[in-house]
Amino acid sequence: MWTHEMGPRHGDEFNRIIGGDNYGWPIVSWGDQYSGIPIPDHDTRPEFNAPEIYWVPTVAPSGLIIYQGAMFPKWQNNAFLRGLRSKSLVRIRIEGDKAHEVERFAMDKRIREVEEGPKGAIWVLEDKKGGRLLRLTPHK
């Protein structure tokens, strides 16, 4: 199972969840308190699971999908993380128990929602008044 977590001030995370493990919050983080007070980094406390990916500066994740569709066969089993602050859609390749950010699609708007449609298109909803609902399909 994979999940995202918004960090305190930066330090957003993409984690592989293992039952019974501890991921360290609020003792460790790659971010800092909003007051500016530092939080020790994950590598200072090896008893806590560190994230597979972390972002400084923040992407402000607001949800994700694990793509299973046929429209983009090379992206099957990749995660797509929506970013409010980064104004992007982040593609993450998952290989076994490892994950890597491999691509970032600049959307120029805060991304509020991402979903996989029934035929494999990726649907993206922009945030705020006037935000668009976009259907992403392969370039032809």
Side-chain angles (χ1 to χ4, degrees):
M1 176 168 42
W2 296 91
T3 187
H4 70 80
E5 181 177 348
M6 189 175 288
R9 183 176 178 197
H10 307 297
D12 304 328
E13 299 181 2
F14 187 72
N15 290 299
R16 181 174 157 262
I17 301 302
I18 300 169
D21 281 6
N22 189 322
Y23 295 81
W25 175 254
I27 298 167
V28 294
S29 171
W30 292 109
D32 292 327
Q33 299 290 356
Y34 283 102
S35 65
I37 296 171
I39 300 170
D41 293 341
H42 275 88
D43 56 6
T44 66
R45 298 289 299 269
E47 71 270 29
F48 298 122
N49 275 6
E52 290 301 314
I53 303 170
Y54 67 92
W55 291 276
V56 175
T58 186
V59 294
S62 62
L64 68 94
I65 62 169
I66 306 293
Y67 185 77
Q68 299 298 314
M71 193 172 283
F72 300 95
K74 292 182 180 178
W75 291 352
Q76 286 181 349
N77 300 314
N78 283 211
F80 286 85
L81 180 90
R82 54 192 198 231
L84 292 169
R85 181 89 184 231
S86 66
K87 298 180 180 179
S88 65
L89 186 63
V90 179
R91 183 168 70 91
I92 299 166
R93 180 177 296 127
I94 299 171
E95 298 171 309
D97 61 355
K98 302 293 179 199
H100 309 279
E101 178 181 333
V102 292
E103 199 165 13
R104 194 176 290 204
F105 301 97
M107 304 298 287
D108 233 10
K109 300 276 184 187
R110 291 165 48 97
I111 303 303
R112 177 56 63 187
E113 184 66 64
V114 62
E115 295 292 338
E116 179 183 328
K119 295 185 179 183
I122 297 174
W123 290 84
V124 175
L125 181 64
E126 296 173 341
D127 196 26
K128 305 272 184 183
K129 184 178 179 177
R132 300 171 298 167
L133 176 62
L134 305 170
R135 181 176 178 258
L136 307 181
T137 60
H139 184 277
K140 298 205 179 208

